């Protein structure tokens, strides 16, 4: 395996070639990469099965196993993600602003690539393809550091993508994968400021906080998801049950799954009985005193439960007496990822969206839509819960910065 310094040098060298690729050249490479993933499906699935076997043997949690698992449909979805990114507008070279100064200077603000992007992520091998596609379309080179649990899958996907880049006549070093899986390498990677312009950690709270502490590279945090759904007293409870079940159970191992319920006390009993009838007790509810009084099978919630991202068939539940109480509770315990209100009152929805301090705020819809593909961005690089320089699902525009072009005719200051 190449040293981190060698990888950094190669990534820094090719970034200047990538930033001048035409839109057509980038799109052609992405389409070839999509074809390559499909053609290499069996090799990728074999590598993934080895990772799954190792995960099961190590007692990996079902939610993490779900994140790790690939099948034919998921590989097809990865390929489709590359095709969709190829079909999106090129974010590079956009005229963002233009003006003239009194002295005749002409100024332009133009979008440009970030340069070299480093990404550290866990479990989900589809991130390998998604991250490559978005970074490449935005004119960046990328160095990836996946987790040990998905190393075989990541290596197989990276090989396929690099082979496709070579066939397209594009530098294969636009994409590099760090194959060492130890934590010391990850920490060393976080200090490669000489070569990497931006670091994006994707994964557990522990990983993200380690990056915040250790990195000398500017980072964009992609936060954990303790996502709330508030059932307002005016909510359509039939729709509410369907939305909560979708948000909680469609995929438990994702950051936009619902982890916490907030219930108006006037509808708590009716809603909880209806929800449990549909769930058939497949989800453990950890509730406050009122919830436990309504559902004898509920487990008393602790303070930790209200702020926890379970990634499991578990759900915290608390009752409140007003919309204001609901908002206060959510702003206290939310990770500021995605939070929703289910309501029949327009003014309640407006107040909720105005006062909840999260990247994505929903009215009468599942939190599961917080996703770059669902937002129409193509595959996403992650969901940022910070406020600089990106927030929410990060698509192509978030992988660019800008520069000023100043044109004169002899002006001096």
């Amino acid at each position: 395996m190449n040293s981190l310094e060698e990888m950094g040098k190669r990534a820094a060298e090719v970034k200047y070639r990538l930033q001048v690729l035409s839109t057509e050249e980038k799109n052609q490479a992405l389409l070839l990469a999509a074809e390559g993933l499909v053609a290499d499906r069996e090799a990728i699935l074999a590598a993934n099965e080895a990772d799954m076997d190792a995960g099961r043997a190590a007692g990996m949690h079902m939610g993490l196993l779900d994140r790790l698992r690939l099948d034919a449909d998921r590989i097809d979805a990865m390929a489709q993600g590359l095709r969709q990114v190829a079909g999106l507008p090129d974010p590079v070279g956009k005229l963002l602003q233009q003006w003239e100064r009194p002295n005749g200077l002409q100024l332009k603000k133009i979008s440009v690539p970030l340069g070299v992007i480093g990404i550290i992520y866990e479990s989900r091998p589809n991130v390998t393809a998604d991250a490559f596609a978005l970074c490449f379309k935005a004119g960046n080179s990328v160095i990836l550091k996946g987790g040990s649990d998905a190393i075989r899958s990541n290596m197989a996907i990276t090989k396929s993508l690099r082979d496709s880049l070579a066939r397209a006549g594009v530098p294969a070093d636009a994409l590099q994968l760090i194959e060492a899986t130890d934590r010391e390498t990850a920490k060393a990677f976080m200090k490669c400021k000489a070569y990497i312009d931006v670091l994006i950690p994707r994964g557990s709270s522990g990983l993200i906080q380690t990056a915040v502490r250790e990195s000398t590279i500017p980072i964009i945090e992609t936060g954990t998801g303790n996502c709330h759904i508030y059932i307002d007293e005016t909510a359509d409870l039939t729709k509410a049950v369907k939305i909560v079940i979708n948000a909680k159970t469609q995929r438990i191992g994702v950051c936009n799954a619902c982890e916490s319920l907030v219930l108006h006390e006037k509808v708590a009993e009716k809603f909880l009985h209806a929800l449990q009838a549909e769930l058939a007790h497949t989800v453990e509810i950890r509730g406050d005193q009122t919830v436990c009084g309504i559902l004898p099978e509920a487990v008393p919630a602790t303070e930790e439960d209200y702020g926890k991202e379970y990634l499991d068939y578990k759900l915290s539940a608390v009752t409140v007496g007003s919309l204001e109480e609901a908002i206060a509770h959510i702003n206290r315990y939310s990770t500021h990822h995605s939070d929703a209100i289910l309501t029949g009152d327009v003014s309640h929805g407006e107040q909720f969206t105005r006062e909840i301090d999260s990247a994505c705020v929903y009215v009468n819809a599942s939190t599961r839509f917080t996703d770059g593909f669902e937002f129409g961005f193509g595959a996403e690089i992650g969901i940022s819960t910070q406020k600089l320089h990106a927030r929410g699902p990060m698509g192509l525009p978030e992988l660019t910065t800008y520069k000023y072009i100043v044109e004169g005719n002899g002006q001096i200051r």
Side-chain angles (χ1 to χ4, degrees):
M1 190 202 72
N2 295 306
S3 72
L4 291 178
E5 185 172 5
E6 289 172 347
M7 296 178 74
K9 287 180 179 178
R10 286 158 54 189
E13 287 172 2
V14 302
K15 76 177 181 180
Y16 296 111
R17 295 173 62 187
L18 298 177
Q19 69 184 15
V20 296
L21 289 177
S22 68
T23 302
E24 183 179 355
E25 289 173 313
K26 290 188 286 188
N27 290 346
Q28 183 61 30
L30 287 168
L31 294 175
L32 285 174
E35 292 177 4
L37 286 177
V38 175
D40 295 332
R41 178 186 293 157
E42 294 307 316
I44 295 170
L45 288 178
N48 182 250
E49 186 57 35
D51 285 333
M52 290 291 289
D53 286 343
R56 285 187 285 260
M60 184 181 288
H61 187 275
M62 69 177 75
L64 294 179
L65 283 172
D66 176 63
R67 285 188 172 195
L68 175 61
R69 181 179 63 86
L70 292 176
D71 56 25
D73 288 342
R74 289 188 179 181
I75 291 177
D76 286 344
M78 288 162 54
Q80 183 57 28
L82 267 63
R83 296 187 192 101
Q84 187 179 27
V85 172
L88 293 172
D90 194 328
V92 178
K94 298 294 184 185
L95 178 61
L96 304 176
Q97 198 172 354
Q98 183 176 11
W99 67 101
E100 180 179 348
R101 296 295 296 149
N103 61 2
L105 286 177
Q106 301 288 332
L107 283 81
K108 297 178 182 178
K109 185 177 180 182
I110 305 291
S111 63
V112 296
L114 287 170
V116 180
I117 298 176
I119 302 178
I120 303 178
Y121 57 108
E122 299 172 332
S123 296
R124 296 173 64 178
N126 65 293
V127 171
T128 304
D130 292 350
F132 154 72
L134 285 166
C135 291
F136 179 75
K137 180 68 180 265
N140 304 291
S141 58
V142 62
I143 301 175
L144 302 177
K145 171 70 174 71
S148 59
D149 47 6
I151 185 60
R152 302 169 187 84
S153 305
N154 292 336
M155 289 172 65
I157 294 167
T158 299
K159 181 181 184 306
S160 175
L161 295 172
R162 284 175 58 90
D163 288 347
S164 294
L165 288 174
R167 286 196 300 273
V170 173
D173 284 338
L175 168 64
Q176 297 182 75
L177 176 73
I178 298 170
E179 296 180 7
T181 59
D182 58 283
R183 293 184 178 181
E184 289 71 25
T185 299
K187 289 184 178 181
F189 183 40
M190 296 175 190
K191 300 184 185 301
C192 292
K193 191 171 188 281
Y195 307 107
I196 299 172
D197 296 290
V198 177
L199 183 68
I200 304 174
R202 288 188 58 166
S204 67
S205 176
L207 167 64
I208 294 164
Q209 292 309 310
T210 298
V212 170
R213 290 194 308 271
E214 300 285 341
S215 179
T216 60
I217 306 165
I219 72 168
I220 300 175
E221 294 182 47
T222 59
T224 53
N226 176 28
C227 302
H228 294 73
I229 295 180
Y230 168 53
I231 314 299
D232 189 38
E233 61 181 308
T234 65
D236 181 323
L237 298 188
T238 301
K239 290 181 181 179
V241 167
K242 292 179 180 179
I243 290 171
V244 171
I245 290 174
N246 173 264
K248 176 70 252 183
T249 68
Q250 190 206 30
R251 285 190 70 185
I252 62 169
V254 290
C255 61
N256 57 20
C258 175
E259 304 285 20
S260 300
L261 279 181
V262 182
L263 308 162
H264 195 284
E265 59 191 10
K266 290 183 179 178
V267 297
E269 182 170 4
K270 185 176 181 180
F271 174 79
L272 286 170
H273 285 311
L275 180 67
Q276 281 291 61
E278 291 293 326
L279 287 174
H281 306 287
T282 56
V283 173
E284 178 185 287
I285 294 179
R286 299 186 175 187
D288 63 9
Q289 185 175 359
T290 301
V291 171
C292 290
I294 295 169
L295 298 177
E297 66 273 21
V299 176
T302 65
E303 182 79 8
E304 182 183 4
D305 283 314
Y306 295 133
K308 191 173 182 63
E309 182 186 42
Y310 292 111
L311 304 177
D312 197 353
Y313 288 101
K314 296 176 182 178
L315 187 64
S316 74
V318 64
T319 53
V320 295
S322 67
L323 172 61
E324 289 72 22
E325 283 185 47
I327 291 170
H329 178 90
I330 294 170
N331 280 336
R332 177 179 179 184
Y333 292 103
S334 173
T335 54
H336 310 294
H337 186 295
S338 301
D339 296 298
I341 181 174
L342 309 184
T343 183
D345 188 317
V346 173
S347 66
H348 285 192
E350 291 173 347
Q351 182 177 349
F352 188 87
T353 59
R354 186 171 58 249
E355 297 183 17
I356 289 294
D357 183 23
S358 294
C360 300
V361 186
Y362 290 82
V363 179
N364 294 327
S366 170
T367 57
R368 286 284 288 117
F369 287 103
T370 301
D371 175 90
F373 190 88
E374 294 293 337
F375 276 27
F377 300 161
E380 70 186 27
I381 204 72
I383 297 169
S384 171
T385 54
Q386 67 180 40
K387 299 178 181 179
L388 296 174
H389 84 124
R391 198 177 195 197
M394 295 169 55
L396 289 171
E398 287 73 32
L399 296 179
T400 64
T401 182
Y402 53 82
K403 65 183 177 184
Y404 293 98
I405 297 174
V406 185
E407 298 176 347
N409 58 3
Q411 289 92 336
I412 61 173
R413 181 173 177 178

